[in-house]
Amino acid sequence: MVTETHQRLREHLSSHPYFQYLTEAQLARLLSTARVQIYTAEDIIFLEGEPATHLWWLEHGRVKIYKVNADGNEQILHLADSGESFNDIAVFDGGANPANTAALTTAKIWQLPAPTIRDLIHENQAMCQAIVQMLAA
């Protein structure tokens, strides 16, 4: 069942630099596995070193992607805003989360499962090429 909320995700993915190449059936498969979660300010979304289980799409809100050094000092690497995805590379290479991520505001975030995305990359040459071009830029 595609809800109004799923429709917003569909619209975003349909215009995304590499998801735009999915067939209608592939897009439907990805949407069927996507889950949404609401985080409040200061909620931890994921931690550095944990397996990268999802690509995340921020429908609305703001999150920080950061590292903590040996002295406990935080270094913000990126502030993600509405409409951005994050943790893409770790999902593509099957590695661990490269940094910590926490909500700065109330945030509505979609979780797109890494195994589904990797399957789609293997199935869809145009999507794979778009990812390579994005990584090379």
Side-chain angles (χ1 to χ4, degrees):
M1 175 180 183
V2 176
T3 65
E4 180 181 329
T5 300
H6 275 86
Q7 187 58 36
R8 283 192 293 276
L9 178 61
R10 172 186 285 279
E11 290 167 6
H12 169 73
L13 294 177
S14 294
S15 63
H16 190 277
Y18 39 87
F19 290 117
Q20 69 180 332
Y21 295 102
L22 295 178
T23 66
E24 200 51 44
Q26 289 169 331
L27 181 58
R29 191 167 90 225
L30 181 57
L31 288 170
S32 74
T33 63
R35 299 293 173 258
V36 69
Q37 187 164 344
I38 305 295
Y39 294 88
T40 58
E42 299 185 24
D43 282 351
I44 300 295
I45 298 165
F46 59 76
L47 296 172
E48 180 179 5
E50 295 178 337
T53 58
H54 296 87
L55 185 150
W56 306 77
W57 177 62
L58 182 58
E59 184 172 332
H60 69 77
R62 188 169 222 208
V63 303
K64 65 179 176 180
I65 300 166
Y66 65 100
K67 289 189 173 255
V68 178
N69 68 19
D71 295 327
N73 297 316
E74 185 178 289
Q75 179 184 9
I76 296 177
L77 305 173
H78 181 69
L79 297 174
D81 291 304
S82 300
E84 290 187 55
S85 62
F86 52 95
N87 220 37
D88 304 47
I89 305 295
V91 166
F92 298 153
D93 72 13
N97 297 326
N100 305 296
T101 303
L104 291 174
T105 64
T106 298
K108 183 177 185 179
I109 306 175
W110 285 92
Q111 303 169 12
L112 306 172
T116 304
I117 292 170
R118 285 193 292 270
D119 287 347
L120 292 168
I121 291 168
H122 289 289
E123 294 170 20
N124 189 307
Q125 185 176 0
M127 178 184 179
C128 184
Q129 184 62 37
I131 291 168
V132 169
Q133 289 175 339
M134 185 255 326
L135 293 174

